Amino acid sequence: MSDNTSAGQGSWGVTRRGFIAGTGSLLGIAALSGRAAAAAAASAPPIADGAHVAALVIGTGYGGAVAALRLAQAGVNVHMVEMGMAWDTPGSDGKIFCNTREPDYRSYWLRTRTKAPLNYFLGFPIDRDIPRYTGILDAEEFAGITVYQGRGVGGGSLVNGGMAVTPKRENFGAVLPSVNADEMYATYYPRANAGLGVGTIDPAWFETTACYQYARVGRKHAQRSGFPFVFVPDVYDWDYMKQEAAGTVTKSALAGEILYGNNHGKKSLQKTYLAQAAATGRVTVSALHRVTSVAPAAGGRYTVVIEQLATNGDTTATKTVTADRVFFAAGSVGTSKLLVKLKATGALPALNGEIGKGWGDNGNVMCGRANHLWDPTGSLQSSIPCCGIDNWAAGGAFAEVAPLPTGIETFASFYLSITRNPNRAQFTWNAAAGKVDLSWQAAWKQPSIDMAKSIFDKINAKEGTIYRTDLFGIYKIWGDHLTYHPLGGAVLNKATDNYGRLTAYPGLYVIDGSLIPGNTTVNPFVTITALAERNIERIIATDL
Ligand code: FAE
């Protein structure tokens, strides 16, 4: 029997070296290389069979990283269990992550063929065969929708565009109706933005740099049709990107790195919250470990069953540990699947009837427009989006002007729209198949298409342009088969209390995107982080 009270102390190398210990400085944290933090994490031995931990966090995305850091700062020893890889070791090409243009074994979670969100170009399929490996991007398929998620230490922060958007205050009531907006906007959104290292592009540089020509074209078209155009903050290091453009550092955003990880420049959680958590000396991580069960144990504790995975996906060991408290931070899909299964199969039967409900896709839908030959979008496109078209109030759509970083001129403008899609799905246990199903239907995307059209039909009419039909299939306009923004399934103040407690089981908490009922009106991770900051503060103050 081991206890991470002792094992956890100093087991991350950064702590032993006192690298940033005690500084608490966000600048220091941002400067800490993710590689150093992740390498330190991997140097710790994984959790042992029979171990007891004070707090076990399932998943290392936004919710999990906030929980781990704040618990550790309050003096609690934390063990994080992550099914994906540590992403701290370069491959034979010297890089940790592969490029969107050359997906290899590192790109996808246990697939033998890539499943790119934009899977056609000029009408030709672009997916390719790859070796089956515990890669970074999971394209998880349910009957009516493919849900993209990050896999590894850092969760979605490893693969996302880093767009760090705080919803407009007037929209917050629809995002989280039971949460005090004054507190969120005065305290928790600012705390989350600071912790994530959010920044905005230098507007003067935006006007001149070749890599945002596509965004300037997007702005011109939006404004000529009378739509509000907004700059969008991001966690990418904007000074680093300027140096990429100047040719003085290794290129990352300007080399098409995004979907399968950024080797430089992006401040993923490995460089922010998780680095700061590591520096406390109270947080350890087991990568390539997947939680399969949580059930009550003697003395108010919980028994947690964990599978250790090999990089081909095989289970190499099954471990049973106990924890005083368990935080579900496996993401909207991961947490919902676990809770629905555990309720249905009798491990946590007293979970309430709201478990699995209220799931939405944040209204995601993609499309491209074909520009005139005199309106090129540029062969060099930064993979990090920096702006959007805000037609939320009038048309129910907020459209990010997205890059198409192919390396060649495409004469295309590309967009990811977040829309006010009202449809909500439910996760249910399929006993015959031994898996969790999601009730989303493909046709439920139609409201999103209609809302996106409120922007792009008007722009096309004004510019005399048409939709691209070659990006999602043959003569297919809409990328309506997917979401990057799964939200809900364990909704705040319904499946949990108003702070994420699973009240039937004292000591069990939900602290990730599954708390949010399906839509955030903008990109979601700042809201997930801010809500986690709010909830963990209350939990530490009252439960520990
Ligand atoms: P998440 O970050 O998904 O972390 C959950 C973690 O738990 C993952 O690392 C899983 O591997 C792990 N896990 C799952 N099940 C288990 C298990 N049973 N045992 C152990 N570990 C487990 O959750 N959002 C924005 O705001 N701006 C963007 O620009 C943006 N772009 C995106 C682009 C892409 C391609 C994708 C996929 C997402 C994007 N998102 C963006 C969404 C954002 O990354 C997502 O909302 C958050 O990552 C969700 O945070 P959670 O903490 O809920």
Side-chain angles (χ1 to χ4, degrees):
M1 192 84 147
S2 73
D3 187 312
N4 89 334
T5 308
S6 51
Q9 292 287 350
S11 58
W12 282 28
V14 278
T15 307
R16 281 197 212 101
R17 291 194 299 274
F19 195 24
I20 56 167
T23 67
S25 152
L26 288 166
L27 286 175
I29 294 154
L32 175 69
S33 100
R35 197 169 297 195
S43 70
I47 197 163
D49 188 30
H52 171 71
V53 297
L56 187 138
V57 177
I58 309 171
T60 57
Y62 293 91
V66 170
L69 171 62
R70 301 306 177 200
L71 286 165
Q73 287 175 330
V76 179
N77 290 307
V78 179
H79 194 88
M80 306 184 80
V81 180
E82 169 56 53
M83 69 192 268
M85 300 192 16
W87 299 110
D88 58 356
T89 310
S92 57
D93 59 358
K95 294 178 179 172
I96 293 179
F97 305 115
C98 68
N99 193 289
T100 42
R101 292 172 206 149
E102 293 292 329
D104 62 22
Y105 66 98
R106 291 168 288 197
S107 57
Y108 282 86
W109 179 256
L110 301 178
R111 280 185 170 275
T112 54
R113 192 163 171 80
T114 64
K115 191 172 173 66
L118 189 159
N119 53 344
Y120 277 73
F121 193 63
L122 301 173
F124 291 100
I126 57 173
D127 281 318
R128 57 168 78 176
D129 291 340
I130 44 167
R132 184 180 153 89
Y133 188 76
T134 46
I136 198 162
L137 184 66
D138 194 352
E140 188 168 0
E141 292 179 81
F142 293 95
I145 193 165
T146 300
V147 184
Y148 284 92
Q149 297 151 89
R151 293 277 174 250
V153 175
S157 80
L158 295 166
V159 300
N160 67 31
M163 292 180 78
V165 198
T166 300
K168 279 186 176 168
R169 175 78 189 252
E170 64 260 35
N171 294 333
F172 184 78
V175 176
L176 285 164
S178 64
V179 173
N180 181 328
D182 290 342
E183 283 180 8
M184 289 296 283
Y185 284 83
T187 303
Y188 302 110
Y189 275 118
R191 189 176 293 171
N193 276 288
L196 293 165
V198 175
T200 41
I201 190 168
D202 170 356
W205 186 66
F206 172 81
E207 297 300 341
T208 55
T209 181
C211 66
Y212 281 115
Q213 185 180 334
Y214 76 94
R216 294 193 297 273
V217 169
R219 175 180 62 183
K220 180 175 70 181
H221 292 170
Q223 291 181 337
R224 286 208 290 230
S225 286
F227 291 115
F229 171 90
V230 291
F231 281 111
V232 170
D234 202 280
V235 297
Y236 203 83
D237 180 338
W238 293 106
D239 287 333
Y240 189 88
M241 200 190 295
K242 279 186 179 175
Q243 294 171 58
E244 292 181 48
T248 55
V249 296
T250 309
K251 290 185 172 54
S252 182
L254 301 200
E257 291 180 355
I258 176 165
L259 214 45
Y260 312 131
N262 279 86
N263 286 295
H264 311 274
K266 193 168 81 179
K267 287 174 274 178
S268 69
L269 290 168
Q270 290 178 329
K271 296 183 186 178
T272 57
Y273 275 96
L274 291 173
Q276 206 182 350
T280 67
R282 291 188 177 275
V283 179
T284 46
V285 181
S286 291
L288 283 175
H289 279 61
R290 175 167 55 200
V291 171
T292 57
S293 181
V294 177
R301 291 177 169 179
Y302 291 91
T303 301
V304 181
V305 181
I306 307 171
E307 293 175 346
Q308 183 167 2
L309 304 177
T311 55
N312 66 359
D314 288 352
T315 300
T316 55
T318 300
K319 303 174 180 179
T320 303
V321 306
T322 53
D324 297 336
R325 293 186 167 77
V326 178
F327 290 80
F328 289 82
S332 163
V333 175
T335 291
S336 302
K337 285 198 310 188
L338 270 174
L339 292 177
V340 163
K341 181 182 91 170
L342 297 176
K343 176 173 167 60
T345 57
L348 297 174
L351 290 174
N352 76 27
E354 292 289 332
I355 293 294
K357 293 183 179 169
W359 187 88
D361 68 340
N362 210 25
N364 282 188
V365 66
M366 294 192 297
C367 68
R369 293 178 38 253
N371 290 323
H372 297 295
L373 293 184
W374 59 84
D375 223 1
T377 46
S379 56
L380 174 66
Q381 300 198 359
S382 170
S383 62
I384 298 299
C386 72
C387 55
I389 304 167
D390 185 358
N391 196 37
W392 190 264
F398 173 85
E400 147 192 340
V401 179
L404 264 182
T406 58
I408 57 168
E409 175 59 54
T410 61
F411 297 101
S413 285
F414 188 52
Y415 307 91
L416 168 65
S417 297
I418 293 162
T419 65
R420 195 164 34 209
N421 189 317
N423 289 310
R424 294 293 178 267
Q426 183 177 353
F427 292 95
T428 50
W429 177 243
N430 179 337
K435 67 181 181 68
V436 174
D437 293 333
L438 179 64
S439 67
W440 187 271
Q441 296 173 28
W444 291 2
K445 284 283 193 181
Q446 191 58 45
S448 293
I449 294 173
D450 295 341
M451 289 168 189
K453 280 163 73 76
S454 77
I455 297 176
F456 302 115
D457 279 3
K458 190 169 177 188
I459 291 180
N460 278 337
K462 176 78 181 171
E463 300 298 325
T465 51
I466 57 171
Y467 288 103
R468 292 283 289 236
T469 58
D470 64 323
L471 302 176
F472 303 105
I474 300 166
Y475 298 116
K476 180 165 165 50
I477 291 175
W478 297 100
D480 59 354
H481 56 295
L482 59 79
T483 185
Y484 304 109
H485 300 165
L487 293 166
V491 169
L492 189 79
N493 214 29
K494 290 186 172 177
T496 72
D497 77 353
N498 205 23
Y499 290 89
R501 299 180 185 96
L502 290 162
T503 48
Y505 295 99
L508 295 190
Y509 307 89
V510 176
I511 190 153
D512 59 17
S514 53
L515 292 171
I516 297 175
N519 201 302
T520 52
T521 73
V522 291
N523 314 62
F525 75 62
V526 173
T527 297
I528 293 170
T529 306
L531 182 65
E533 288 279 20
R534 167 194 179 268
N535 292 355
I536 198 70
E537 186 177 84
R538 173 63 65 102
I539 289 163
I540 288 169
T542 59
D543 294 17
L544 301 183

